Amino acid sequence: MTVIETRAHNVTGHGRESVNDGKLEWTSACPLSHLIPGRGVAVLIRGVEQAALFLLEDGSLYAVGNIDPFGRAAVMSRGLVGDRAGEPIVVSPLLKQVFSLADGRCLDDESVRLPVYDVRVWAGVVQVHSGSAAHSADGSDAQIASA
């Protein structure tokens, strides 16, 4: 698992903390400038959940669960990033299942999903929401931030 130390860059100045904006709770992951397009990083959210955070070549940010639902290991942040028919994907490094970064569904087995997290950039720091993104009535996910 990749861990990026954010003490010097945290918005609050007190190490890895969550920022409460009155409605939602966000966890600061790292400065946007530390992300490398096409490479994932693991983010520990509130000491409980793990997310895999990705910056794509087009500048968009996505976060999905870091636990591979097939292999039960925290490896999704190490997966290969690409697209399938224009849809952004991550390929599990274990058994090579393909997951949509947009909605978390497994393209090889639609009964399996990764949790999807909202992402934002605040004061140059990438933040991940502490809970999975809510699905709207039509099944689409909340808006994903673009850098």
Side-chain angles (χ1 to χ4, degrees):
M1 176 167 72
T2 305
V3 177
I4 295 178
E5 184 58 54
T6 61
R7 290 186 201 281
H9 301 285
N10 194 303
V11 174
T12 62
H14 300 295
R16 182 171 304 235
E17 292 183 345
S18 294
V19 177
N20 187 346
D21 67 1
K23 292 182 181 177
L24 304 174
E25 200 164 304
W26 298 86
T27 298
S28 296
C30 63
L32 179 60
S33 62
H34 285 197
L35 294 178
I36 299 169
R39 306 260 328 253
V41 297
V43 178
L44 184 61
I45 303 171
R46 299 182 68 195
V48 179
E49 298 175 77
Q50 290 188 38
L53 175 65
F54 299 95
L55 172 64
L56 302 186
E57 294 289 338
D58 67 2
S60 59
L61 290 163
Y62 292 91
V64 295
N66 195 38
I67 308 296
D68 181 323
F70 293 96
R72 304 276 187 216
V75 296
M76 294 308 296
S77 62
R78 297 181 182 176
L80 298 172
V81 176
D83 74 88
R84 184 178 280 181
E87 180 173 9
I89 58 152
V90 60
V91 179
S92 169
L94 293 180
L95 300 173
K96 310 304 184 233
Q97 283 87 6
V98 177
F99 294 88
S100 167
L101 288 172
D103 62 17
R105 79 185 187 290
C106 179
L107 301 182
D108 300 319
D109 180 354
E110 297 218 7
S111 68
V112 179
R113 288 185 168 269
L114 292 172
V116 176
Y117 298 90
D118 287 331
V119 181
R120 72 178 182 187
V121 178
W122 189 65
V125 175
V126 180
Q127 296 182 327
V128 181
H129 186 266
S130 63
S132 295
H135 294 276
S136 66
D138 66 0
S140 63
D141 286 299
Q143 185 95 6
I144 304 298
S146 179

